[in-house]
Amino acid sequence: EYVVGQDVCSFKATYAAGDITDLNPFAHGFRTKIAHNANPFAYADFACIGIDDAAGVTKDIKLKTQLASGGVTTADSTVNWANTTALIFEVQVDINGIVKFLINNIDYSSEIATFTFAAGAILIPSMTYIVEGTADPELEARKWFSIADTFAY
């Protein structure tokens, strides 16, 4: 766990899916430390990279945030996820709670309004997904890590 105002943190992973059309929703990022919810977009406070498209639809990678249950903000990163394609997702939070979103090591933070977690918030890395129907998306988390570290903004 990480505390905004005391720690900087990053959650980075490489994912691939054999059949991306069966995966909805998917979320990779940080949320406040509370009980688990199967819907990754139902937490009061979160920042994530993910998908929320209907079954069988091309999977647009979205940037999603919410602070104090004030409403989910969503932006299209302009990156699409195709079958068998590996993507690297990283969400960084600086000491002041400001979030950066990286896909394949490219910063897409400018695609969404600047998001800042509240000072003192206790954050945990979170990856959640749901399989649509009885299909198998063959989701692989090939490598991942979450660290408290200093990184250049």
Side-chain angles (χ1 to χ4, degrees), residues 13 15-16 25 49 85 99 116:
Y15 299 102
I49 299 170
T85 302
V99 175
T116 306

Side-chain angles (χ1 to χ4, degrees), residues 54-134:
V57 175
T58 300
K59 299 300 182 180
D60 299 326
I61 304 300
K62 308 281 180 59
L63 311 176
K64 298 178 84 70
T65 61
Q66 178 164 250
L67 184 64
S69 299
V72 176
T73 300
T74 302
D76 188 341
S77 69
T78 71
V79 177
N80 294 323
W81 200 353
N83 289 343
T84 70
T85 302
L87 293 176
I88 303 167
F89 296 150
E90 182 175 11
V91 178
Q92 299 175 346
V93 183
D94 77 4
I95 194 82
N96 298 309
I98 299 171
V99 175
K100 286 180 77 172
F101 300 93
L102 295 93
I103 303 170
N104 291 337
N105 300 313
I106 298 170
D107 187 355
Y108 285 89
S109 302
S110 64
E111 300 296 329
I112 194 167
T114 300
F115 180 78
T116 306
F117 281 107
I122 299 172
L123 306 179
I124 60 172
S126 178
M127 189 282 281
T128 303
Y129 72 95
I130 296 175
V131 176
E132 293 190 315
T134 59

Side-chain angles (χ1 to χ4, degrees), residues 1-2 8-13 15 28-31 89-93 123-127 143-149 151:
E1 65 183 41
Y2 309 100
V8 297
C9 51
S10 175
F11 181 30
K12 185 174 186 176
Y15 299 102
H28 165 102
F30 286 97
R31 63 176 177 84
F89 296 150
E90 182 175 11
V91 178
Q92 299 175 346
V93 183
L123 306 179
I124 60 172
S126 178
M127 189 282 281
K143 51 186 166 180
W144 62 274
F145 65 90
S146 180
I147 57 171
D149 198 3
F151 41 80

